Amino acid sequence: DTGVSQDPRHKITKRGQNVTFRCDPISEHNRLYWYRQTLGQGPEFLTYFQNEAQLEKSRLLSDRFSAERPKGSFSTLEIQRTEQGDSAMYLCASSLDGRGTGELFFGEGSRLTVL
Amino acid sequence: DQQVKQNSPSLSVQEGRISILNCDYTNSMFDYFLWYKKYPAEGPTFLISISSIKDKNEDGRFTVFLNKSAKHLSLHIVPSQPGDSAVYFCAASAGGGSQGNLIFGKGTKLSVKP
């Protein structure tokens, strides 16, 4: 399978715990994005990387959230001291810079439930 | 304030007929628009896009129309098939298609009945 893969697919945690999601993009893609989607809403942009550089962060990304892409390949999104409002689907996407179509390739998402 | 609006949460169409999904935007800086389709338990998949320098883009059964003066775009699916039943998201960006910060609407759930 050469698509974007995300792990875990589902995570249930208690409020106050830390969680980490992993994303493996399509191998030749140099851009990687994180979005969040809650029920009844469209995906909301969180942050994106070009290679290992984090180029843009949304105001939605509070200081409890941190994303890394240390070697320009896979990425992790960590949420510290989770709150019930963090419950959402976390979507990762990748693209090839310069392609010009604006097309992002999304993974199936990691669903977080905070109890 | 929502910059990309899809005012119809759902749409039901008979198989073989035309499906028209609408999207309005408020930010005049948007210059690239995309439609994504999403099935349950899957991530969104890209369907079709259009640059602001065009007013129409066609790909098989799918056509996107852009009316810049009205800040309105629409997706036409002809003929509609049951497999088209999904949630459709309109998205926009201000980066000419090269930026990742896409702004999505809330989606329209399309049901195509046999």
Side-chain angles (χ1 to χ4, degrees):
Chain A
D1 185 7
T2 57
V4 177
S5 64
Q6 294 187 242
D7 183 72
R9 294 290 309 280
H10 303 277
K11 178 72 176 178
I12 300 174
T13 190
K14 292 183 179 178
R15 188 167 49 120
Q17 298 295 304
N18 299 344
V19 297
T20 300
F21 300 113
R22 175 182 170 122
C23 172
D24 288 90
I26 294 172
S27 58
E28 64 267 27
H29 286 182
N30 57 351
R31 285 195 172 184
L32 186 149
Y33 315 83
W34 286 99
Y35 282 77
R36 180 176 71 185
Q37 185 176 17
T38 53
L39 196 62
Q41 303 295 317
E44 296 173 295
F45 172 79
L46 293 178
T47 187
Y48 91 93
F49 294 82
Q50 179 153 321
N51 301 313
E52 65 275 9
Q54 188 172 18
L55 296 188
E56 188 174 349
K57 292 168 63 174
S58 162
R59 289 171 297 176
L60 293 174
L61 211 65
S62 77
D63 54 8
R64 296 185 298 105
F65 288 68
S66 63
E68 294 183 343
R69 194 183 183 198
K71 297 182 180 179
S73 56
F74 74 91
S75 174
T76 57
L77 176 68
E78 181 183 16
I79 308 174
Q80 295 182 326
R81 305 181 303 281
T82 52
E83 301 173 356
Q84 288 184 325
D86 297 332
S87 295
M89 177 73 82
Y90 290 85
L91 294 164
C92 177
S94 68
S95 73
L96 188 59
D97 181 29
R99 181 181 173 127
T101 65
E103 178 182 356
L104 305 187
F105 293 80
F106 282 89
E108 294 180 325
S110 293
R111 180 169 294 284
L112 173 65
T113 302
V114 181
L115 301 176
Chain B
D1 184 33
Q2 276 227 301
Q3 298 184 68
V4 176
K5 300 178 184 179
Q6 293 178 257
N7 292 320
S8 297
S10 63
L11 175 67
S12 184
V13 171
Q14 205 69 30
E15 181 180 5
R17 306 294 292 269
I18 184 171
S19 295
I20 300 176
L21 296 98
N22 294 303
C23 177
D24 296 293
Y25 61 96
T26 58
N27 189 340
S28 57
M29 298 298 292
F30 288 150
D31 58 6
Y32 205 83
F33 305 89
L34 307 93
W35 285 94
Y36 280 80
K37 178 170 71 173
K38 186 181 184 302
Y39 293 117
E42 295 184 10
T45 55
F46 171 77
L47 198 54
I48 193 169
S49 62
I50 187 167
S51 164
S52 60
I53 63 174
K54 297 185 176 181
D55 54 19
K56 176 182 174 182
N57 189 25
E58 193 171 352
D59 184 2
R61 296 185 298 113
F62 303 92
T63 303
V64 57
F65 295 92
L66 175 62
N67 182 335
K68 284 183 293 184
S69 61
K71 293 190 175 69
H72 176 83
L73 63 154
S74 60
L75 174 68
H76 293 211
I77 307 173
V78 182
S80 301
Q81 300 173 353
D84 296 329
S85 297
V87 178
Y88 289 78
F89 292 100
C90 173
S93 79
S98 65
Q99 298 298 321
N101 186 358
L102 296 181
I103 308 298
F104 284 83
K106 291 186 177 183
T108 297
K109 184 176 182 179
L110 174 65
S111 299
V112 180
K113 300 187 176 181

